[in-house]
Amino acid sequence: MPRVTFHPDSRSVDVRGGERLLTAAWKAGVGIKSVCGGHGKCASCLVEVDATATPPDALTPIGATERELLPADAAQRSFRLACLCSINGDVTLAVPPESQAVRNAPRKPYTVTDVEPHPIVSQRIVGVPGAWEPPLRSLTERIAGALAAAAGRRTIELPVNVVAAYSGHKDFDSAREVTATLHAERHVIALTAGRHDALYGVAIDVGTTSVVVFLCDLIRGRMVGMRTAANPQAIFGEDVISRMTHIQHDPETLGEMRRRLIDELNTLIDEIAREAGIGLAAIADAVIVGNPTMQHILLGVNPEPLGRGPYLPVWPEGVEIEAAELGLGVLPRARVFVFPSIAGYIGGDTLAALLTRDREFYRGSHLLVDVGTNGEVVLAHDGELIATSCATGPVYEGAHIHCGVRAVPGAIERVWVEPGGRIRHAIIREADGKGDPRPVGLCGSGVISSVAALLGAGLIAEDGSVAAPGFHPQLRMANGGHAPEILLVGARYARTGRDIVLTQADVRGVQLGKSALRTGIEILLADRNISQLDRVHLAGTFGNHLEPEDIVKIGLVPPLPVERIRSIGNAAGDGARMALFNRNHRRRAIALARRIRVVELSLRDDFQDLFVMHTALAPAPPALEAA
């Protein structure tokens, strides 16, 4: 069997002859970008074959489709597209930084929130009558009776699996004092001999790109620690559509995606608990939020119907499931609460973000916007809530951008033009401020910043066209002189050894994504006859790193003073922690899901006209004013 070796990971895998390089990468656990899901459309899976260690006939020859997508220097650098070449013999290759699926998780900010503790789990310490005390009763009856009396209830549910776990301890039947962990004051989920006061929970935000786990002390109402990592499902595609496509072609992929996700969550939980000196059995509660696709995969439910009309979730309700059944490595009988979804593309993460908004949000006219591959928009107007989702595309995640990368160290996150015309940039640095200062590419916020800055400098027109090469020394023609591009960083100053550019196609991608989001916003405003907003709340990692001036300049949001645009961080994670600390927020989330009215953009007759109107890179007035 041919062997494929991937660098820089130095991972190898044996495959059957005829398999694609991209399939080999998935089997080896090597993350290669696959924005289009391996269909030979995006060129994001570019790899560099080591010609000195790979025979000339080890891969199938370059076909016409692959040749069109490869960069101009492909022959000299031995570049191939992993999804379009098949394996005939042993291959050694390198995955360039810009082709690597997320290796480090993007930044996941969080807000310190003050939540009144009222968790759904609690502990009771009770005295247990001795076995010979009259009337003679079984151990289970004595413990359950003591707990019911302490709780002021007639009965307490004490499942056999809890008793079985307790019976594994030495002298379990002679302990005169027992600590019981209860769910909703009625269901015993753990028993421990003696007195204990350790009660913890985890709040988990499962994003398409990354996951974050918060470990929280439920007795003291504080966060103990946090871990974040890349979503391991990225090897099956950068976006949810790619992952749905894989499941459609091979239903067994659903189980593999679910397993990889659960394994990663368990690794994070174990790491953070070890660091805090907490046993996993002390973690008695969990709350999970995510977009509908991520929640479906987590629960083992096929998400395919989300990708086709009428785009409805298979399972919209909130779920309470035992940790052992889910496979989550905490107290086995802990009940895991998975948030409900609102619609096919509006999930528990949006609900969690809404939980973080105070009463002011529900007065006047406020907009909650979470921008990513899919944009979710919720309008609160005088207490009413309406929402929609917009297919903004992957450009805001750095995908489908010529030099696009995720928001990881080395990514350009800000661009500006100095008075003399010099184009400057700033990159995301390592957490310790060290590391290679050279950039690797443009992340989503860097793309928006680039377009806004170059628009202001006249290098890009309002219609999105890039100026002619003579206008600025860093303007040039590419693709054999057929398309203009702007050189942001020269090859000698880039970590990849290749020029970092913003192309005409990149600008068009920004226009399309920007117009989709703005059109969704305008349709919601028109629905409620609103011409002016009180405030815009930007949620999510991407929104947290956008400059308000930039998004107003290109018309991503309706024109309003920049001080009315507020970044609210990883509101999904914040809302998940709120629901962990206080059970009432779970009820609020369920009530909000039923209360929100969803507007489906594909059913709107005015969508196309508004979409065309808002492709312009300008702070266009709201549709109502334009009319």
Side-chain angles (χ1 to χ4, degrees), residues 371-456:
V371 188
T373 303
N374 193 68
E376 295 86 37
V377 183
V378 181
L379 173 65
H381 177 62
D382 293 340
E384 293 186 36
L385 293 170
I386 57 173
T388 194
S389 60
C390 319
T392 48
V395 293
Y396 297 131
E397 301 283 357
H400 279 325
I401 295 297
H402 187 73
C403 295
V405 295
R406 295 290 190 186
V408 294
I412 295 174
E413 64 174 342
R414 184 167 171 257
V415 171
W416 67 97
V417 181
E418 293 181 337
R422 185 182 178 188
I423 300 173
R424 301 294 301 275
H425 69 272
I427 68 168
I428 299 172
R429 303 303 299 267
E430 298 283 354
D432 58 6
K434 300 178 182 179
D436 195 329
R438 296 174 299 168
V440 297
L442 284 163
C443 68
S445 57
V447 173
I448 296 297
S449 179
S450 298
V451 172
L454 299 172
L455 179 68

Side-chain angles (χ1 to χ4, degrees), residues 29-261:
V30 174
I32 296 181
K33 281 186 180 179
S34 176
V35 175
C36 68
H39 294 301
K41 296 180 180 179
C42 67
S44 64
C45 61
L46 188 73
V47 297
E48 187 169 0
V49 178
D50 184 349
T52 62
T54 303
D57 58 351
L59 294 172
T60 51
I62 298 174
T65 301
E66 186 178 3
R67 183 170 284 105
E68 289 180 5
L69 292 169
L70 286 169
D73 60 346
Q76 292 80 8
R77 297 289 298 272
S78 299
F79 284 136
R80 296 298 302 266
L81 295 181
C83 72
L84 289 177
C85 57
S86 299
I87 303 161
N88 296 325
D90 293 349
V91 180
T92 300
L93 58 90
V95 184
E98 64 269 31
S99 298
Q100 293 171 8
V102 183
R103 298 177 61 80
N104 301 309
R107 299 166 291 182
K108 278 280 187 179
Y110 66 91
T111 307
V112 178
T113 52
D114 184 16
V115 182
E116 180 183 354
H118 184 40
I120 202 164
V121 291
S122 58
Q123 286 181 328
R124 285 193 178 273
I125 302 171
V126 295
V128 181
W132 292 98
E133 292 184 29
L136 296 182
R137 293 176 295 165
S138 67
L139 177 62
T140 302
E141 289 173 310
R142 283 179 276 139
I143 293 175
L147 287 171
R153 294 180 175 274
R154 287 186 176 182
T155 59
I156 289 286
E157 180 188 330
L158 183 53
V160 66
N161 57 4
V162 173
V163 177
Y166 178 59
S167 70
H169 298 281
K170 184 179 180 181
D171 300 328
F172 72 97
D173 59 337
S174 60
R176 300 303 298 272
E177 201 169 43
V178 171
T179 299
T181 303
L182 297 97
H183 180 90
E185 283 88 37
R186 296 190 301 273
H187 313 285
V188 180
I189 58 175
L191 289 174
T192 310
R195 287 178 168 265
H196 301 274
D197 64 350
L199 190 63
Y200 295 86
V202 286
I204 300 172
D205 174 16
V206 180
T208 307
T209 304
S210 58
V211 295
V212 59
V213 174
F214 302 94
L215 178 63
C216 301
D217 185 331
L218 301 182
I219 294 176
R220 296 163 185 81
R222 62 185 178 87
M223 189 175 80
V224 176
M226 178 189 74
R227 277 288 192 283
T228 185
N231 187 327
Q233 297 170 358
I235 67 170
F236 296 100
E238 298 286 304
D239 54 43
V240 297
I241 298 298
S242 297
R243 296 178 203 178
M244 288 181 203
T245 301
H246 278 291
I247 294 170
Q248 182 180 16
H249 290 164
D250 181 5
E252 291 186 3
T253 306
L254 172 62
E256 178 66 12
M257 288 186 189
R258 183 177 183 275
R259 183 189 64 77
R260 286 180 178 271
L261 176 59

Side-chain angles (χ1 to χ4, degrees), residues 536-612:
V536 172
H537 306 250
L538 297 176
T541 307
F542 178 68
N544 195 59
H545 293 91
L546 289 175
E547 292 291 337
E549 294 87 351
D550 291 342
I551 63 175
V552 170
K553 182 181 292 184
I554 69 171
L556 188 69
V557 297
L560 74 166
V562 293
E563 59 269 17
R564 293 190 190 176
I565 301 175
R566 175 189 300 171
S567 294
I568 59 175
N570 177 20
D574 296 342
R577 289 200 315 282
M578 290 173 65
L580 183 69
F581 282 129
N582 192 312
R583 69 178 74 181
N584 293 330
H585 291 304
R586 304 185 193 197
R587 288 196 286 266
R588 281 187 60 208
I590 294 171
L592 282 170
R594 294 169 179 164
R595 175 181 167 189
I596 296 171
R597 178 166 61 88
V598 177
V599 175
E600 177 53 60
L601 297 183
S602 63
L603 302 179
R604 297 284 303 218
D605 295 334
D606 53 352
F607 177 83
Q608 195 61 38
D609 290 340
L610 287 170
F611 183 87
V612 172

Side-chain angles (χ1 to χ4, degrees), residues 419-500:
R422 185 182 178 188
I423 300 173
R424 301 294 301 275
H425 69 272
I427 68 168
I428 299 172
R429 303 303 299 267
E430 298 283 354
D432 58 6
K434 300 178 182 179
D436 195 329
R438 296 174 299 168
V440 297
L442 284 163
C443 68
S445 57
V447 173
I448 296 297
S449 179
S450 298
V451 172
L454 299 172
L455 179 68
L459 277 72
I460 297 175
E462 286 189 2
D463 66 0
S465 59
V466 176
F471 185 78
H472 189 279
Q474 287 173 250
L475 282 164
R476 67 189 190 189
M477 298 302 291
N479 292 338
H482 296 295
E485 66 183 22
I486 303 165
L487 177 66
L488 301 178
V489 181
R492 61 182 297 192
Y493 302 108
R495 201 179 305 180
T496 60
R498 294 189 288 279
D499 292 340
I500 297 176

